[in-house]
Amino acid sequence: MNFSELFKLSGLLGRFSPDGKCLASCVQHRLLVRDASSLQILHLYTCVDQIQYLEWSSDSLFILCAMYKRGIVQVWSLEQPDWHCKIDEGSAGLVASCWSPDGRHILNTTEFHLRITVWSLCTKSVSYIKYPKACQQGVAFTKDGRYMAVAERRDCKDFISIFVCRSWQLLRHFDTETQDLFGIEWAPNGCVLAVWDTCLEYKVLLYSLDGRLLSSYRAYEWPLGIKSIAWSPSSQFLAIGSFDEKVRILNHVTWKKITELEHAATIASKQTIVYKEVEKSPTVGTERLSFPPTRELASSLFSTQSKYDISQVPVSLQYIKPVADRANPKVGVGMLAFSADNCFLATKNDNIPNAVWIWDIRKLKLAVVLEQLCSIQCFQWDPCQPRLAVCTGSSRVYLWSPAGCVVVQVPGEGVFQIISLSWHSSGDSMLLLSKDNFCVCYLEREE
Amino acid sequence: MGDWRTITVPVLSSDSQNTFLYTSERKTSPTSMSSQVLRLSLPSSKNMHSFFSAFCTEENIEQSISYIDRELTTLGFPSIYAESKGKELNLVSMVNCMNELLVLQHKNLRAQEEIEIQHLKLGSDMDHLQNCYAKLKEQLELSKREIVGLQEKDRQLQSKNRNLHQLLKNEKDEVQKLQNIISSRATQYNHDMKRKEREYNKLKERLHQLVMNKKDKKLAMEVLNYVGRADGKRGAWRTDKTEARNEEEMYKILLSDYEQRQKQLLLENTELKKVLQQMKKDIISLLPPQKQKPKERPEDGLVLSDQEEDIGELNKENMWELSCETVREQLTNSIRKQWRMLKNHVEKLDNQVSRGHSGALNEKDVISREDHELETEKLELEIQQCKEMIRTQQQLLQVQQLTCDDDTTLLLQDCYLLEERERLQEEWRLFREQKKNFEKERKSFTEAAIRLGLERKAFEEDRGAWLKHQFLSMTADCKSEKMTTPSAFLRSSDPDIRLMRSTSRQRRPPSVLSPTVSPEPCQISQYITQNSVASEKPAADNKPNLWVESDDKEETEECTKSWEDSGLGTLCRNLHMEQLP
């Protein structure tokens, strides 16, 4: 495993291009595009203000930089570095911006969710979508980029509009049986739309592309409901993480619950492997000690190292009692993701923040628990194989695969607290992001 | 003489601590006599001496002797006077009487000793029981106190419970109230929310108008030049046509998705079918050993026939390709049947295995069962003990209820006496039965003896007759040359010839009896009966006829055999005839 040197970064804005050739990163108001393998700077663009959001177009030809404070979006072309485009939302303001799947349109959401403006880079046409709902995940594109679903709110009722992305024509418009719609998500096959209600009510609705209600699922009534949702890449399963610290998995044939995955603080099953991260003090041979000590040695002496131990079940995980009288309590399954081969599901229970749970979907059983020293910041599956990368805000990156798991210390001086990571589309490298720096981690391909 | 009066003191059971005197007597001897004997044996030896010294003097010797004689005769002893010589003393008989009396005295003394010992034992038992009783009484007292304590506790708990119930009710009310509040709040909140949202919407609308309608100079896109579309096509105009095309496309996508799904299902289905087929084949190949067995159970045969059908079915592979609806039922049924068979088979095997392993390997299940049995045994024992305890306590309680403390001993005695009497009666009944059996046996013996005598007699007579005949025939042979008229010889009243005739006559079936011979055997039979009665014990009060009847059938067979040889057949038959009615 190799690591690049640390590069400067602001706002966690570092992205691999979808084709995997380039790497875009922002430092204040500058946008740097590097070669993904050599990390040489290919282009440098300067925006009018500090960049707050960065997004590659799907064909990796354009990069969108949003400056919400100014209400401005700037678009840069890789093919024509001279080409420039600046979209000003004016007094309406800007809160969100994103590419349409074709990479030729930009969707800007104005302040107060007054409307969504669709700007085209091909024509002068501008489209507006009125009454978008102010919610966490109000716009969703199908994976093939043909359709867009938008959650709307009119007259205290939730609606969903499905647009054809090619012409921005409205295809379907229907109301949903939700109290206060919270999010929408297309199944990867683009035929089923999952709609879930606010956390006050546990409710998932499944709509077909043509607007028919396929099914609705409700696990319980009163307590806080859904916290996160994830489709399996095969569209076979819908995993629903909720505030009751459980994940429920629905199947795609009957849309009924297959199983309930509990995130108990005590793991007693003998079939579960619990990897516990333990600190290990570095052992330095006395002959290697010199005076004055070299900087490298000193840093290695003072930085703690860690490794994984296999704990004997039963294991009690560190449990945080949530504060009951606060809004958005830190309890329940807040993160969940399927592996690319559909075989594993990684989850995080927010009141056991140091543990990642990896479930074997074929057996519908808990396979592995990774117990870390610090709380989990982010995890992401390798897009090509069942391999999970985890970061915990330390300078270590953790990798799990069915073969085992490793702790990798990012070499280098100074503090590098990884709080986010993203895989290269080939699965050969990984971008590790801290608040001020980033580096690329290259993994050897197993032959 | 000891055989007609025995005094036995059997100790039946030491546990029950109830010993009783058991006196067996001859049936013929009156009970009064025994009581007299007992009374006589009561005075101690010392008293007897003084009594005798005062009793007899020189002057009243005669009277004394006569008195003693009288007393003795009344006691069943033979008179001490020589019967033939009036007032003369029969010394021998007197000595005998004395001896008898002395023996009696000894016996009585022994009995008395035993009784005393018995008495002592009983006394100690009584003490023990009294102690026990006192203890139990104490226990009872204690338990009563405990009960009272527990009742008090119970009462307290009940009151507590009542309080808790009250609290619960209050809490429930509270909960209800809170729920009401919550629901009212919720409606209020929803209402407010809606109001706010409407306001918000109004504001948004207003803002929209303000922001959008004003020609915002800033709202614009500066672009160097427009770029081509990613797909290279040009943007199309929005028309109905495009709309229709969009619809079409959407449905196409949906259709393709469904088709794909159907394909997947089909694939899965075929896979499953393959597995099913494989399983079926396996099952069929597994099951044949059962087929070779004779059709033990009717259902087995039924299933087998089905199976054969299925084999035939299997050959038609095309059946699988048919749509499920036509084959489904058949298929599921046959599979189910085969599966059931397999299950039975496996269960049988399991049973065999478990039987094989039951002893040797300590399977947890077996252990638990053993434990269970042990436990149940223990519990049963405990239950038994508890029951006994309860019973004794009940008895004690009853005793206590019935009597005061003072007369408990009396009551206990009464109880024991009653019990003793019952046991005596039981024993008496047994004894009687035994006696009856003995008498039966004796009677059978006498009968057998009589029969033997008769047979011997008949045999002797037969022999005599035969010898005579032999002799006569020999002489006849010699005489025949001289004799001219044999008829004259025949007419002579020879007893042997008559005897022969009688033998021939008695070979007739016994039912046909000549009345001419009956009077004579009747007398004999009477004699025999008398004889048998005389040989019997005079005390026999059972019914001898019954016994004879019961033995009748085998007897008749034996008899006819012997009678055929003997000349006394008719006699015996008559004897029988007399007894049969």
Side-chain angles (χ1 to χ4, degrees):
Chain A
M1 198 180 280
N2 296 313
F3 290 90
S4 72
E5 58 178 305
L6 297 185
F7 298 104
K8 283 217 160 189
L9 184 79
S10 64
L12 291 174
L13 294 170
R15 305 275 190 277
F16 279 117
S17 66
D19 62 2
K21 282 180 187 155
C22 301
L23 167 65
S25 62
C26 297
V27 183
Q28 303 301 331
H29 56 277
R30 278 195 304 277
L31 169 68
L32 293 99
V33 179
R34 294 167 200 266
D35 185 84
S37 49
S38 66
L39 296 179
Q40 279 181 332
I41 295 174
L42 301 175
H43 304 286
L44 194 143
Y45 307 100
T46 309
C47 294
V48 292
D49 202 352
Q50 184 170 355
I51 300 160
Q52 283 178 286
Y53 181 71
L54 166 76
E55 192 177 328
W56 282 90
S57 70
S58 59
D59 55 5
S60 310
L61 294 177
F62 298 97
I63 303 173
L64 169 160
C65 298
M67 287 137 280
Y68 295 138
K69 273 187 220 161
R70 295 269 289 253
I72 290 173
V73 172
Q74 275 190 301
V75 187
W76 305 103
S77 166
L78 256 69
E79 279 180 334
Q80 302 164 269
D82 309 334
W83 187 87
H84 60 88
C85 172
K86 189 168 126 194
I87 301 163
D88 196 335
E89 282 293 335
S91 50
L94 181 68
V95 288
S97 179
C98 68
W99 282 104
S100 82
D102 66 354
R104 295 294 180 273
H105 293 84
I106 290 164
L107 281 77
N108 285 342
T109 310
T110 60
E111 256 181 311
F112 309 110
H113 287 80
L114 282 177
R115 67 180 183 195
I116 292 173
T117 323
V118 184
W119 300 92
S120 172
L121 300 185
C122 310
T123 58
K124 271 190 169 176
S125 69
V126 182
S127 311
Y128 298 104
I129 299 166
K130 261 183 108 183
Y131 311 111
K133 183 166 170 104
C135 62
Q136 189 196 40
Q137 208 168 335
V139 178
F141 296 99
T142 57
K143 210 179 172 193
D144 60 2
R146 279 175 201 257
Y147 301 103
M148 176 179 77
V150 179
E152 295 174 4
R153 184 85 177 176
R154 296 178 193 193
D155 301 328
C156 308
K157 275 200 85 166
D158 291 318
F159 292 87
I160 285 176
S161 294
I162 295 173
F163 293 92
V164 182
C165 292
R166 202 177 45 210
S167 58
W168 303 110
Q169 262 180 312
L170 183 69
L171 186 71
R172 283 285 184 277
H173 180 77
F174 51 88
D175 63 335
T176 63
E177 296 168 20
T178 46
Q179 283 277 314
D180 181 18
L181 189 148
F182 195 72
I184 53 175
E185 177 89 56
W186 284 102
N189 66 7
C191 291
V192 184
L193 181 71
V195 175
W196 64 98
D197 212 336
T198 176
C199 65
L200 292 177
E201 207 150 343
Y202 194 113
K203 198 172 195 180
V204 182
L205 301 162
L206 294 147
Y207 288 96
S208 170
L209 179 59
D210 54 354
R212 284 178 299 123
L213 178 67
L214 294 173
S215 179
S216 79
Y217 176 73
R218 190 163 202 183
Y220 49 82
E221 217 170 330
W222 295 115
L224 289 179
I226 297 165
K227 199 163 190 186
S228 54
I229 267 186
W231 282 96
S232 77
S234 63
S235 311
Q236 266 182 309
F237 304 112
L238 178 64
I240 307 163
S242 52
F243 280 92
D244 66 344
E245 301 173 45
K246 281 177 191 167
V247 170
R248 290 170 178 84
I249 295 180
L250 308 187
N251 72 71
H252 76 309
V253 181
T254 61
W255 302 111
K256 296 256 166 62
K257 184 182 76 184
I258 296 174
T259 189
E260 235 176 53
L261 310 176
E262 284 191 52
H263 295 69
T266 311
I267 287 138
S269 169
K270 289 256 191 304
Q271 278 137 4
T272 307
I273 305 165
V274 181
Y275 292 104
K276 189 181 167 72
E277 187 194 3
V278 287
E279 276 190 337
K280 94 183 156 180
S281 50
T283 50
V284 181
T286 43
E287 68 272 15
R288 278 185 63 202
L289 284 175
S290 56
F291 189 83
T294 59
R295 274 186 80 176
E296 198 183 318
L297 191 63
S299 72
S300 81
L301 267 175
F302 289 110
S303 70
T304 55
Q305 293 195 318
S306 72
K307 57 166 187 170
Y308 275 122
D309 265 1
I310 292 176
S311 303
Q312 290 297 313
V313 287
V315 174
S316 291
L317 303 172
Q318 197 188 337
Y319 185 91
I320 293 171
K321 208 164 184 290
V323 187
D325 54 356
R326 290 262 182 87
N328 299 316
K330 281 205 167 189
V331 64
V333 180
M335 278 160 80
L336 69 171
F338 278 97
S339 69
D341 62 352
N342 299 300
C343 291
F344 296 98
L345 171 70
T347 59
K348 182 198 165 193
N349 185 9
D350 289 341
N351 47 340
I352 307 176
N354 293 3
V356 182
W357 313 63
I358 298 167
W359 307 82
D360 190 335
I361 292 300
R362 286 167 299 190
K363 294 177 193 161
L364 294 173
K365 283 218 171 91
L366 182 61
V368 173
V369 174
L370 307 178
E371 194 185 2
Q372 309 295 143
L373 286 169
C374 309
S375 63
I376 312 296
Q377 298 292 325
C378 176
F379 58 71
Q380 198 175 26
W381 286 98
D382 183 329
C384 299
Q385 49 178 311
R387 185 158 61 170
L388 185 76
V390 181
C391 60
T392 63
S394 64
S395 61
R396 290 178 285 267
V397 65
Y398 309 90
L399 286 167
W400 175 87
S401 76
C405 62
V406 285
V407 185
V408 184
Q409 172 80 39
V410 177
E413 303 150 22
V415 277
F416 181 55
Q417 293 175 327
I418 306 163
I419 50 177
S420 181
L421 51 82
S422 70
W423 282 92
H424 189 263
S425 55
S426 67
D428 290 340
S429 57
M430 219 170 13
L431 195 60
L432 308 176
L433 312 167
S434 80
K435 218 175 137 206
D436 305 313
N437 296 298
F438 77 92
C439 79
V440 182
C441 164
Y442 299 94
L443 296 109
E444 284 103 38
R445 190 182 279 274
E446 288 155 41
E447 296 303 332
Chain B
M1 287 184 96
D3 65 330
W4 61 273
R5 187 186 297 126
T6 49
I7 299 169
T8 53
V9 189
V11 180
L12 271 188
S13 60
S14 55
D15 288 340
S16 64
Q17 291 147 349
N18 284 323
T19 322
F20 53 88
L21 198 73
Y22 177 78
T23 317
S24 76
E25 293 170 274
R26 263 171 74 167
K27 170 92 202 212
T28 44
S29 62
T31 44
S32 60
M33 191 171 162
S34 69
S35 66
Q36 269 181 340
V37 170
L38 281 170
R39 187 157 41 110
L40 263 177
S41 65
L42 273 173
S44 63
S45 56
K46 231 180 211 175
N47 287 342
M48 265 219 311
H49 277 292
S50 58
F51 172 71
F52 280 124
S53 60
F55 173 61
C56 187
T57 52
E58 289 293 327
E59 294 90 55
N60 65 349
I61 190 153
E62 283 291 317
Q63 286 91 338
S64 316
I65 287 164
S66 70
Y67 174 74
I68 284 165
D69 179 51
R70 236 183 6 252
E71 286 291 314
L72 283 172
T73 46
T74 52
L75 285 175
F77 290 101
S79 171
I80 54 170
Y81 291 112
E83 275 173 41
S84 54
K85 289 161 196 169
K87 287 281 178 181
E88 202 171 310
L89 279 166
N90 187 346
L91 209 66
V92 176
S93 114
M94 200 158 101
V95 169
N96 277 340
C97 279
M98 285 294 280
N99 183 43
E100 189 85 15
L101 281 169
L102 278 172
V103 166
L104 216 89
Q105 171 70 8
H106 280 305
K107 237 181 243 168
N108 284 339
L109 276 174
R110 229 178 297 139
Q112 192 188 355
E113 255 171 52
E114 273 165 16
I115 284 166
E116 272 169 3
I117 288 163
Q118 205 64 38
H119 182 72
L120 276 174
K121 259 190 211 164
L122 285 171
S124 66
D125 284 349
M126 183 68 74
D127 283 350
H128 175 69
L129 284 173
Q130 270 171 351
N131 282 342
C132 275
Y133 170 71
K135 247 184 236 166
L136 286 169
K137 221 172 112 179
E138 259 172 50
Q139 270 181 12
L140 187 75
E141 210 47 48
L142 211 83
S143 340
K144 266 185 184 168
R145 244 175 283 143
E146 232 168 82
I147 284 166
V148 169
L150 286 172
Q151 272 173 348
E152 176 59 24
K153 221 184 221 169
D154 186 48
R155 201 188 54 75
Q156 280 173 4
L157 283 173
Q158 266 177 356
S159 66
K160 211 174 181 180
N161 191 22
R162 228 173 289 129
N163 287 343
L164 284 172
H165 266 296
Q166 192 58 41
L167 271 173
L168 185 71
K169 212 176 145 194
N170 290 347
E171 288 296 319
K172 271 184 183 167
D173 287 347
E174 192 76 12
V175 164
Q176 191 62 44
K177 225 190 280 172
L178 285 172
Q179 267 177 349
N180 288 339
I181 288 170
I182 284 170
S183 61
S184 68
R185 288 269 164 90
T187 49
Q188 181 71 32
Y189 164 79
N190 279 339
H191 187 76
D192 282 358
M193 272 291 281
K194 273 199 180 152
R195 198 165 47 81
K196 287 256 167 70
E197 204 175 325
R198 280 208 193 92
E199 270 173 33
Y200 169 65
N201 279 343
K202 246 184 245 168
L203 277 170
K204 251 166 108 176
E205 201 69 29
R206 185 116 183 105
L207 185 68
H208 196 253
Q209 277 170 8
L210 283 173
V211 170
M212 307 300 163
N213 286 358
K214 190 177 73 181
K215 280 289 167 195
D216 195 351
K217 284 280 189 296
K218 279 170 93 186
L219 181 69
M221 184 171 85
E222 297 169 20
V223 63
L224 189 71
N225 61 306
Y226 290 107
V227 293
R229 295 179 78 92
D231 51 5
K233 285 177 191 166
R234 287 183 58 184
W237 292 104
R238 282 190 201 185
T239 55
D240 289 348
K241 216 174 162 187
T242 53
E243 230 164 78
R245 215 178 55 223
N246 283 337
E247 286 274 311
E248 201 182 304
E249 223 165 83
M250 180 194 80
Y251 282 121
K252 256 187 204 162
I253 285 171
L254 277 178
L255 260 177
S256 71
D257 178 59
Y258 281 121
E259 262 170 22
Q260 206 187 329
R261 218 188 269 188
Q262 202 201 353
K263 258 182 214 160
Q264 277 175 1
L265 285 174
L266 220 75
L267 213 80
E268 214 175 293
N269 239 341
T270 47
E271 287 282 311
L272 286 173
K273 267 184 189 167
K274 257 185 221 162
V275 171
L276 196 66
Q277 218 167 328
Q278 187 63 41
M279 250 173 73
K280 214 169 159 178
K281 267 182 196 161
D282 284 355
I283 289 173
I284 288 166
S285 65
L286 261 177
L287 284 174
Q290 279 198 344
K291 208 194 250 178
Q292 276 151 18
K293 270 191 205 168
K295 296 181 179 179
E296 293 161 4
R297 295 162 295 167
E299 59 174 302
D300 233 351
L302 199 136
V303 176
L304 275 175
S305 68
D306 273 326
Q307 189 188 322
E308 275 150 14
E309 244 173 60
D310 294 337
I311 294 166
E313 211 174 275
L314 244 181
N315 295 334
K316 300 180 249 164
E317 295 267 316
N318 292 342
M319 288 285 274
W320 295 94
E321 301 306 322
L322 279 174
S323 89
C324 232
E325 282 203 15
T326 47
V327 203
R328 193 193 290 145
E329 208 171 319
Q330 229 174 326
L331 193 74
T332 46
N333 275 344
S334 72
I335 286 285
R336 216 170 277 158
K337 268 172 199 158
Q338 278 163 12
W339 178 244
R340 213 176 300 144
M341 273 171 76
L342 193 72
K343 217 173 87 180
N344 283 342
H345 188 64
V346 169
E347 268 169 10
K348 226 183 280 165
L349 285 176
D350 270 1
N351 280 346
Q352 278 171 8
V353 167
S354 69
R355 233 178 285 146
H357 281 258
S358 61
L361 286 169
N362 47 345
E363 287 170 32
K364 284 199 171 173
D365 186 26
V366 175
I367 283 175
S368 74
R369 199 176 300 157
E370 274 173 12
D371 280 355
H372 177 77
E373 270 167 18
L374 260 166
E375 198 68 29
T376 43
E377 261 178 36
K378 229 188 267 174
L379 283 170
E380 267 170 14
L381 216 104
E382 232 173 73
I383 287 169
Q384 205 69 32
Q385 281 174 353
C386 287
K387 273 185 181 166
E388 293 234 338
M389 190 72 155
I390 288 165
R391 208 175 297 142
T392 46
Q393 282 207 343
Q394 264 183 348
Q395 274 177 359
L396 280 168
L397 272 169
Q398 276 175 356
V399 165
Q400 211 200 13
Q401 277 172 356
L402 281 169
T403 60
C404 299
D405 281 22
D406 296 349
D407 49 12
T408 36
T409 46
L410 257 172
L411 193 102
L412 273 171
Q413 246 172 356
D414 275 1
C415 280
Y416 292 146
L417 278 172
L418 262 169
E419 214 168 359
E420 204 172 295
R421 209 180 114 191
E422 256 171 37
R423 281 194 200 183
L424 270 167
Q425 271 173 353
E426 179 67 23
E427 203 70 20
W428 183 239
R429 203 180 51 72
L430 260 167
F431 174 66
R432 265 187 189 167
E433 239 165 49
Q434 255 176 351
K435 206 161 76 179
K436 222 188 271 173
N437 285 346
F438 275 130
E439 255 148 28
K440 269 185 201 167
E441 253 172 89
R442 188 177 289 175
K443 201 159 183 182
S444 74
F445 268 120
T446 47
E447 288 279 333
I450 289 161
R451 220 167 36 230
L452 204 72
L454 283 173
E455 266 168 29
R456 185 176 287 169
K457 208 171 162 189
F459 177 69
E460 288 286 281
E461 266 174 2
D462 235 1
R463 216 178 86 185
W466 187 76
L467 279 172
K468 220 179 222 174
H469 182 74
Q470 205 74 344
F471 180 67
L472 274 175
S473 66
M474 273 168 71
T475 49
D477 280 348
C478 301
K479 279 176 186 174
S480 62
E481 293 156 12
K482 299 158 199 177
M483 280 287 182
T484 46
T485 50
S487 58
F489 173 69
L490 273 170
R491 208 165 286 179
S492 67
S493 58
D494 200 318
D496 284 348
I497 292 166
R498 215 197 310 158
L499 222 154
M500 274 181 74
R501 230 183 285 152
S502 74
T503 30
S504 69
R505 191 172 48 195
Q506 59 100 356
R507 266 172 209 183
R508 281 180 297 177
S511 56
V512 191
L513 283 169
S514 59
T516 49
V517 275
S518 54
E520 195 196 356
C522 259
Q523 282 177 347
I524 299 164
S525 74
Q526 267 168 7
Y527 162 71
I528 289 164
T529 43
Q530 271 176 351
N531 200 15
S532 72
V533 168
S535 65
E536 268 172 29
K537 267 178 95 176
D541 59 343
N542 55 4
K543 304 157 208 164
N545 274 351
L546 265 173
W547 172 71
V548 174
E549 260 175 10
S550 67
D551 267 10
D552 225 7
K553 277 161 202 165
E554 49 186 72
E555 205 94 329
T556 42
E557 273 173 27
E558 269 177 55
C559 283
T560 41
K561 252 186 226 163
S562 53
W563 293 337
E564 274 167 18
D565 313 324
S566 69
L568 283 165
T570 43
L571 183 140
C572 289
R573 218 169 292 135
N574 266 18
L575 167 82
H576 240 83
M577 285 296 290
E578 192 205 49
Q579 283 175 343
L580 271 172

